[in-house]
Structure formats: C-alpha cells, structure tokens
Amino acid sequence: MTAPNYKTATRLDAIKPSITLAVTAKAARLKAQGIDVVSFGAGEPDFDTPEHIKQAARDALGKGAVAKYTEVGGLPVLREAIAAELSRVHATSIPADQVLVSCGAKHSLYNLFIALLDPGDEVIIPAPYWVSYPDMVMMAGGTPVIVPTSPDDDFTVRPEAIRAHVTPRTRAIVLNNPSNPTGAVYTPAQIAALAEVAVEKNLLIISDDIYRSLCYGDATYQSIAALGPELAARTILVDGVSKTYAMTGWRIGYTAGPAAIIKAMAKVQGQSTSNPTHLAQVATVAALTGPQECVATMRAAFDARRRAIVDLLRAIPGVACREPKGAFYAFPDLGAFIGRHFGEGQPIKDDVALCDWLVEHARVAVVPGSGFGAAGHVRLSYACSMDNIKLGLGRLREALLSLR
Ligand code: PMP
Ligand code: GLU
C-alpha cells in the first residue's frame, strides 16, 4: 500500500502556533497534574460573566429559538445594538448593515484579512504587536510589515516610522489601542498624527479596540474614526465583548466598516462558519444594552491589580517596567537576566528559555516577549486575583534573583 500523504499546506509552513494560548495551555496542564502554577499567561478576565448577561442567555434557552441559525452577519437586533454603541463611541453614524458579528474579534480579524488581501499586499503592524496579527496576515497571503517602536515612546508608533515603511503595496495599518502586550494608550495628539499619515498615504486603518473600555488614570481612548468623515471612511473597527464583559468563552466579536469590506467579510463567513453561536449573540445584546456598572467595577479591580503588579515588578532589582495605561498587561524588560546562569547550568539564551525555566522551576507562567516582536521582554496578564499577583510576583522575584 502506498503510504497516505499527510503533507499539510505549504501556506502554513511559516505560521507559528499562538504563544499566548500555548503558555496558557501549559500552565493549565501543569495545574491538572496537581502542580501549583501561578499563571500570568491568558489575556482573559478572571471574573465570571455578569449575572444579567447569563440570565438573558438562560431565558433565551428556555424559549428554544436559539437552536436555529441566525443571519450570517448576526441577529438584526444585535447588529442594531452594536451599530448604536459604535456610533456613539466613534461619533459617527454606523448603519447596522455595516456591522458583521463573528466568533470573537480574532475571527473578525481573520475574516478581514482574508477578505482584504491579495498575495503580496502589505499590512503595517507596529511592534510589539499582539501575536496573531502577522500570522493572520500571512495565512491570508499578505505580507506583514513590522514597524519597530521604542520604549522611550512608550512603545507607540511614530508617524514618520509608518511613512518610512509605506510602499505601493501597503493596504492598511493595524492600530491596537490600548495595546496588547504593552498596555500603551495613544494620546489624542498621537492619534491625530497617525490619522494624517493614513490620509496622506491612502491607507486603511484597522482599529483593534478590544481593550478600549480598559484605560486607567488620565489615559482615555481616542477614536481615530471620530476625527472626521475622511477618517471614518478608511477605518475598520474591530471590537467585541470578551474583555469588557468577561465573555471570552462566548466567542463574540464584531467589525464595522465600509460596506464593500463588510460584504466581502460576510461572504467569507457565509462560506466558512456561518453565524456565530445564536445563544452567545443573545447574551451580547444583553451585555450591550443592559446595565453598564459591571464594566466600571471590573475596570476598577484591574486598575488596583495594575498598580500592585507594576510596584512589585519595579521592586525586583534588574527589572524595568513602564507603566501600562490600558488593557490588562504588564510588559517588563527582563533583558538584564538574559545571559545569566541557572545555578551551575547553561546561560539563558533568550526570553523563551527564561520563560520555560520560570514555569518549570519557579512555577510561574509568563509569556515571552519575542512572540510579540519584543525579545527580552515578558508579558504578564494581571487579569487574575490579587492573591495570585502577590504569590506569583514573590516567586518571580526569588527566581530572578537566584540567577547568577
Ligand atoms: N485583539 C487583541 C489585541 C487581543 O488581545 C485579542 C485576544 N483576546 C483579540 C483581538 C481577540 O479577542 P476575542 O477573539 O476573544 O474577541
Ligand atoms: N488575546 C488573549 C491574549 O493575548 C487571549 C489569547 C489569544 O487569543 O491570543 O492572551
């Protein structure tokens, strides 16, 4: 018998598995074996979904309608609710038929890149970036163009850095504000300067706003689409309920943007996943139209944890940590520890080796910065309890200070 051919698509050869999900899975595996790991891996709120949202889902389940498909792009009532919410946030008028609901903002982004990119089309991605952007662009046949930023600019991208990377093939720039992994929040002046480049170079802006409700202290979210019709017309808004309403597992994200692009994305979705889960859409209506105090309560808890984790990180000699102003990640520079030795062993060659050692020996899971295009850094999600933060940071401190 001829051996079956298990060769997988060449298209996937350059694609890496998601490191955020890999670290989270490893921590969960160790925990399942009874090993007490403190995980700062998952970018996922530890809170349960607020009760009124769960209740809306229970009620809908009782009525049975949720057993059926919905329109590919989502329930009309949900798209209306999203359109109303996004019109308010972005000070523009977004019709419901320019909204597409997908299985998480990750799916929204994937649909978008598949719908938008021809082979060789370029997408500008400022680094550090969320791990999935470059790989999604590549899976869609496009070319990610990584634009470095500096810690001195709080890891925000400068307009001139974008200008320097624009080519005739550039289609879009990804703007993730607040940023995963850095927690940076762009000021209104910075957003205005980026808007100018987008118009000057005729770029689309993919505005990943999944953390827009999580800004702390003086930082506020400034919408680029709100800067006028010229900007609204070139901005594709990607948003969702995962982070704002502690609804990661429900898998609902959405896109609002130019009709032609939304229509193309709906075509992709209609030939792949169809609608996102009906029940989850009903819960999302309740999230968007119900009481909003839960958002402020969770934000206040994240803020307290943010301040605690940054203080504890900065108290470790050799660790440099900027203040994250949004999202729920701290992104310290652990470069000072690379090249040191674990006891009598080998020198630590990079942040990946350091993170492997930390989880194996110190029982603390953090994500290596190289997955985000920022070698030498690590990401800690502080969407976990204060006890976890205190215990985990104690372990991290002890482990790092034991390196010679
Ligand atoms: N964008 C960013 C920057 C993220 O960190 C995430 C991860 N949750 C997503 C998009 C996707 O989120 P979801 O698919 O849960 O809506
Ligand atoms: N976005 C979250 C994170 O960065 C969840 C995992 C993922 O989808 O990457 O950790």
Side-chain angles (χ1 to χ4, degrees):
M1 184 185 91
T2 313
N5 182 358
Y6 296 137
K7 186 192 164 306
T8 56
T10 314
R11 188 174 61 252
L12 292 185
D13 289 353
I15 308 299
K16 303 171 294 301
S18 163
I19 182 88
T20 46
L21 297 181
V23 169
T24 309
K26 179 159 187 178
R29 239 183 355 259
L30 291 171
K31 275 187 200 165
Q33 290 164 20
I35 299 166
D36 145 51
V37 175
V38 177
S39 179
F40 297 107
E44 164 164 68
D46 57 329
F47 300 110
D48 193 6
T49 303
E51 181 53 32
H52 69 278
I53 301 174
K54 294 197 295 183
Q55 190 56 45
R58 282 186 208 107
D59 293 347
L61 206 47
K63 294 188 190 123
V66 292
K68 304 299 178 206
Y69 294 129
T70 71
E71 277 184 33
V72 166
L75 290 165
V77 62
L78 174 56
R79 292 160 91 180
E80 291 290 348
I82 294 167
E85 159 83 351
L86 296 184
S87 296
R88 183 185 61 75
V89 170
H90 301 283
T92 179
S93 172
I94 299 170
D97 60 2
Q98 283 177 227
V99 170
L100 181 88
V101 188
S102 302
C103 310
K106 200 173 201 169
H107 185 218
S108 303
L109 285 159
Y110 184 75
N111 282 339
L112 172 60
F113 291 127
I114 294 281
L116 194 64
L117 301 177
D118 272 329
D121 279 352
E122 295 172 6
V123 177
I124 289 184
I125 303 174
Y129 45 76
W130 178 43
V131 287
S132 296
Y133 299 137
D135 294 84
M136 284 191 193
V137 168
M138 288 191 286
M139 279 195 278
T143 305
V145 174
I146 307 301
V147 176
T149 64
S150 160
D152 298 338
D153 294 332
D154 202 23
F155 290 123
T156 55
V157 69
R158 291 184 179 222
E160 57 268 29
I162 293 177
R163 271 193 196 92
H165 286 82
V166 171
T167 76
R169 296 305 306 267
T170 312
R171 293 296 309 279
I173 161 168
V174 175
L175 176 61
N176 177 213
N177 179 37
S179 157
N180 174 5
T182 69
V185 179
Y186 284 76
T187 64
Q190 286 178 313
I191 292 291
L194 293 180
E196 216 172 282
V197 191
V199 173
E200 175 192 317
K201 299 290 184 186
N202 193 19
L203 307 178
L204 296 172
I205 302 150
I206 299 170
S207 189
D208 181 346
D209 301 330
I210 195 89
Y211 298 103
R212 75 174 153 76
S213 302
L214 298 174
C215 294
Y216 312 107
D218 295 340
T220 51
Y221 169 80
Q222 168 67 53
S223 155
I224 198 161
L227 297 184
E230 217 179 354
L231 272 306
R234 62 178 67 248
T235 303
I236 301 148
L237 299 166
V238 177
D239 212 322
V241 287
S242 284
K243 319 290 172 169
T244 309
Y245 298 97
M247 289 180 71
T248 44
W250 295 81
R251 308 307 303 128
I252 294 288
Y254 27 89
T255 319
I261 292 175
I262 296 297
K263 198 171 153 208
M265 290 174 65
K267 185 154 65 168
V268 175
Q269 186 157 301
Q271 293 289 28
S272 49
T273 58
S274 305
N275 61 276
T277 305
H278 191 151
L279 182 64
Q281 293 189 55
V282 172
T284 303
V285 174
L288 294 179
T289 60
Q292 298 298 306
E293 291 77 30
C294 54
V295 177
T297 306
M298 290 189 273
R299 180 173 46 236
F302 290 139
D303 190 14
R305 297 162 181 189
R306 171 183 76 108
R307 284 179 277 125
I309 203 165
V310 169
D311 286 350
L312 289 166
L313 283 165
R314 286 179 176 167
I316 305 174
V319 175
C321 186
R322 300 162 21 268
E323 184 194 2
K325 302 197 173 84
F328 38 54
Y329 306 105
F331 199 58
D333 182 353
L334 300 192
F337 299 93
I338 312 296
R340 294 196 194 175
H341 296 71
F342 323 111
E344 301 302 308
Q346 296 288 314
I348 304 166
K349 76 172 193 307
D350 55 22
D351 53 307
V352 176
L354 179 61
C355 292
D356 280 346
W357 177 76
L358 284 171
V359 74
E360 296 289 341
H361 297 271
R363 303 297 180 213
V364 53
V366 302
V367 189
S370 45
F372 305 92
H377 288 69
V378 302
R379 189 192 80 174
L380 292 85
S381 163
Y382 54 82
C384 58
S385 72
M386 201 63 109
D387 285 348
N388 218 49
I389 290 172
K390 288 183 185 148
L391 178 65
L393 267 288
R395 289 183 187 181
L396 184 69
R397 179 188 172 92
E398 198 181 319
L400 291 176
L401 296 184
S402 77
L403 296 172
R404 300 283 147 231

